[in-house]
Amino acid sequence: MPGKCSPILRVVATLAAIVLVDASLKHPMHGRNQHSRPMGVKSLYNQLDNTDYFRDNIVPVTYRKSARNAKPAQHEPDGDMDGLNALFDTWKTDGAHGTQAGTVDGGDDEKPRRDLLLNDWLTWEEARVDGQVGPMRVTFVTEFWDQGATMLQDTEHCAYTNQYVTPSDMTGTTVGGTASILCTEEDVIDDSTVGIVKQRLSWVRGYVNSTFQIKQVQAGEEITINSQAQENYPFSQTTFTDTDLIVVVTLHPISAGGIAGYAYCAQSDQFGRCTVGYFNWVPDGLSTSSTFFKPNVAMSERTTALHEVMHVLGCCKDSDVFRNPDDGTAYSDSQKWVVEQESPNIDKQITKWVTPGVIATAQEQFNCSSITGVPLEDVPLGANAHWEARIMGPEVMSYGIGSGESYVSALTLMFFNDTNQYIVDLERGTQRLYPASGEDDELASTEFENIFAASDAGVSVVLPNRSWGPGYQRWGRNAGCAFFQDLPSLDTWTDRYFCTTNNERGCTGDNLLSAACYLLEYSATANDAGDVYYTQSVTSPSDTVDIANENAPYLPAPYQYLAEHGLTDTAGYSSSMDFAPVRYGIWNCQDQEPTLAEIAQFEDVDFVDPGELFSEAASEIAEYGGQIFSSRSRCFESSLLLFTEAQYFSFEFTSYGLCYLSNCYTEDYLQVGLKTALGGVKWFRCQEAGEVYVSGFIGSFTCPDPKEFCAYEDISGVKYTENNEALEWIFWGVLLGVILVLFIVFCCCKKVRQCTAQKLKKVMNFDLTQKYPKRESQSPGACLLTGVSVIWHVVGLGLVIIGVVAIIDVNAELLWETAARQVYHFIGLGAVTIVLATLGTMTAKADHPTLKAAIYFYILLFVTIAFIFIAIIVFAIPSWLAVIVELTWATMHAQFPDSWQLYTATEAWEALLTLFEEYSIYIYIIIAFIIFSLLSGLIVTFIMLEFKNVIGTMLFWMNIVIFVAGIIFLWACSVISTVLPTGILVGLIIPGCLVVIVGVIGVATCRHTNVLIAYMIVTALTFVAMLAVGIWLLASVDENQQIVSNLTQTQLGELALKLEFFCVGV
């Protein structure tokens, strides 16, 4: 199932020292891409490795205030050079001419430089006293793509389609090849692209500023991009003040498919901290103006941008940025990393990161005190520049794409903290990359659910809460040493992470995404596992060699995790995760409910066939009711359907990963909240692992083990009102039983039927004085009505037969491919058609005023009004119909063919118009017959009922409507009573009560003269009252607007929630 956007995994090439060149594959929520896989990309890896020449481009900057006027004791500069700044200028000049500025091989003349560098180091205490500690300031240089077409062409960016560009002419690197690239429509930089990229960069700037404290570059001093770091770009400005990092952003296309971007450090200061970096964001994967605000797209693009900027800052790779906090001397290699066997049970020689903060965080958050270092990635692309994806999962600086929600971990931030050049704010730096966009978190139980509240229900705080924090390790959280140090299996990873059945639906390990187990076969006739087993670190992170996969194209022997399950050649989709069999996330429970088209956009993860992965569920999974998408929602296995969604029922009771509210009251007390048909929330408790059945729903809910689930989640200490399921089941059982008994009684007992009909006729103002003799033969009108009803009987029976055949025809051999989705639509519509046709037949048979005739008449009248309304929209104002399609497509798309599932509402509308034109003759015939049936039925039934009975029954139904409108009006007044002044509230309630009284009197008139007089008097008073209130409200519009403007956001939210509930309930 192709999509516009698809999941992506970053591909990162390693560089030496502080140089960070990253070719990251696009994140799973957006783009077209594969996970990092070792086959077919070795040439790109070598090209990226050739950019190592940036490593020695060192240009010192000033940090110490007292050093500004100092002069070196053994090096007197010329008269036009003053102090330390002049000496730094000398360095810049040297670097500009291509010498290796920063080497200390210039004899005695270099000693002043070394002394000054040491003198310029500030401890954190000195920097605070000096006022030099502050938020890190980032400047993004965007001038090469936001200045118009001329600059775009001059800098090898795409200004128009079919243009040839050669990015390597600008960068001097061979990233993505040296050949010219033909610009496609997706590569062209337009105003929309500029706006989107700047928005994402603005967020990254804010993130870095709020997360990283730094010893800021001295006020009034500048960072200058020297000629070596300028590459071949025509900079209009090379010197920047009031900044600590310059990132030059480019938007070049790249010849290697599926790469979202790459980044590297081009210039660093005397202490190894990057001061100038480059980030190229490949434009063909960027969002459009229509997808920019989609949560999955925003999360993806923010992740990509932050990932690259973190590479510029130094993560997660060996460099000289790690410094002794006391004197600024560089850390030795052994203080940063170690090359050794990964673990006693994993025979791979790799690089582990061993700085103290990283080790302490890993030991705590994996719950394993024997951790001696955190492994770096060992696939050829990205080796020793990222965290090992098998261990870190979906973390921003890991390749665990799709295994969960992307996030910044405390472990990554501790990497930066260990440099002693950054102080990180763990709370701010680990917040969700994009705010949850789901529904209101505080959906309250409705009054209806409270009727069935459990006897011990209530809301109480009984324990202090426990919060792991958003940056606490999610993949392998507190899972123990076996998870960290052993290869994946059900024993070491448990079924939270490890899966064994392909396409099995469930949830990602972080409980946040609905997911599917995606397993692939690796063989000569299926997927190629690649020629490389892993990239071995020999003596250092930069000294590596690729170890061959002796089983190629089959899986390396250590990665045959499913052999004990009889699946020797089957494993997971990601080589970066060592082919671990894991679930791939489809949508996030914290974001707004996805549409089918959005679900279908997750595709192309290396060998992932989106049709195979999602086609079975995509047309159904989004339709499951009871789901709530919010920051408090989590994923659970469930097959629950609301009774009102019976059309989606399947006898297979397939379980999916669905999203509901969750609340861990204590460490072993789990509550789950479902949205009911009325829009409220029903809470129930999961007491133990296993299936439970929820009243008001079809299917079952699979409770996880409460203790295991809550060990992963935060503990709230708050208990919500729980529904008494037993009591509600009894209620519905009794209610349905009463309805069934009444149905049997009315069917079997003629006297009861006649008595009830007589009472209803009296209430509905029938003329009961006239008697109608039995006709010897049917009137012409009755004969016509009988004929029409017979035809509709046949139509209804045909619809039911189609529905039944669709149930039997599992493989769609007899009907169209999507017929199974319309089973209950056909059966339901067929049943309604048969009932209505039967009512018409009975009306024709009686051939005089009856209750059945009145009911039939008003059903036809309602259908006719609806038909006229639709006809006006279709033929008179078709633009309205387009709007309706736009609004309803998200819920109606599943009823259309598979080929339509990726259509936007506009595309669907165009397809509908095409179908209409193609089959217009048949459509017009059907419409003509419907019109004939409605008009003939109305006319015949009107004649049968006689004018006096039609008027009498209309009076009855009109007053029913008035009564209901009055109730709605009073309810609305009660909702807004908390914010309205007493005077206004009274002024509204009085006419509302009069409307209700009018409705009650009108229903009870029963042709009594005295009651009719009272009815007319009260109606006149109500009219006057409503008119007066309307004039009064119009006159006080300004005052009422002021009342609304004075409301707090909380008050407005509460009102909106109540009114929204009412609309949903109605």
Side-chain angles (χ1 to χ4, degrees), residues 566-745:
L567 302 171
T568 303
D569 300 327
T570 301
Y573 60 87
S574 172
S575 63
S576 299
M577 298 188 74
D578 296 345
F579 297 102
V582 298
R583 297 175 187 86
Y584 186 85
I586 300 173
W587 78 55
N588 198 308
C589 288
Q590 298 193 77
D591 292 325
Q592 60 191 6
E593 185 173 0
T595 65
L596 178 61
E598 288 172 332
I599 298 171
Q601 287 171 1
F602 302 108
E603 59 161 322
D604 291 342
V605 182
D606 201 7
F607 303 115
V608 172
D609 176 359
E612 178 184 348
L613 182 58
F614 301 117
S615 62
E616 178 184 340
S619 63
E620 303 165 352
I621 190 168
E623 310 299 344
Y624 277 70
Q627 297 188 79
I628 298 173
F629 298 84
S630 75
S631 62
R632 297 166 55 217
S633 295
R634 297 295 182 266
C635 178
F636 298 90
E637 292 184 26
S638 169
S639 62
L640 292 179
L641 275 172
L642 285 165
F643 277 116
T644 55
E645 299 165 339
Q647 67 269 27
Y648 303 113
F649 173 74
S650 169
F651 288 102
E652 297 177 358
F653 290 100
T654 305
S655 285
Y656 300 99
L658 303 180
C659 302
Y660 308 102
L661 290 178
S662 93
N663 175 54
C664 285
Y665 171 42
T666 65
E667 292 182 352
D668 59 358
Y669 196 114
L670 171 62
Q671 293 181 303
V672 179
L674 315 179
K675 183 190 289 185
T676 67
L678 298 178
V681 172
K682 176 188 295 185
W683 289 95
F684 66 91
R685 180 185 179 186
C686 277
Q687 296 187 345
E688 59 184 15
E691 292 187 333
V692 297
Y693 300 92
V694 183
S695 57
F697 290 83
I698 306 169
S700 63
F701 180 93
T702 303
C703 279
D705 178 86
K707 190 170 184 179
E708 190 276 334
F709 185 89
C710 291
Y712 191 93
E713 297 293 333
D714 296 340
I715 303 301
S716 69
V718 176
K719 182 180 178 182
Y720 292 96
T721 302
E722 292 174 7
N723 199 62
N724 189 323
E725 290 297 299
L727 180 60
E728 188 168 350
W729 276 116
I730 292 172
F731 171 83
W732 288 114
V734 171
L735 179 62
L736 293 175
V738 169
I739 293 173
L740 180 61
V741 169
L742 290 175
F743 179 78
I744 294 173
V745 168

Side-chain angles (χ1 to χ4, degrees), residues 829-909:
L829 183 60
V832 170
T833 302
I834 291 173
V835 169
L836 190 57
T838 301
L839 198 57
T841 303
M842 296 171 69
T843 298
K845 183 179 179 181
D847 205 6
H848 65 78
T850 62
L851 188 61
K852 291 185 285 290
I855 295 173
Y856 185 66
F857 174 80
Y858 284 106
I859 291 175
L860 291 183
L861 183 62
F862 174 79
V863 173
T864 301
I865 293 172
F867 192 82
I868 292 172
F869 180 74
I870 294 172
I872 291 173
I873 292 177
V874 172
F875 296 104
I877 41 177
S879 59
W880 281 22
L881 188 58
V883 172
I884 293 173
V885 172
E886 180 78 31
L887 295 174
T888 60
W889 178 245
T891 56
M892 294 297 295
H893 57 74
Q895 309 309 320
F896 291 85
D898 287 340
S899 58
W900 290 40
Q901 298 307 312
L902 293 180
Y903 284 1
T904 63
T906 301
E907 292 169 337
W909 171 238

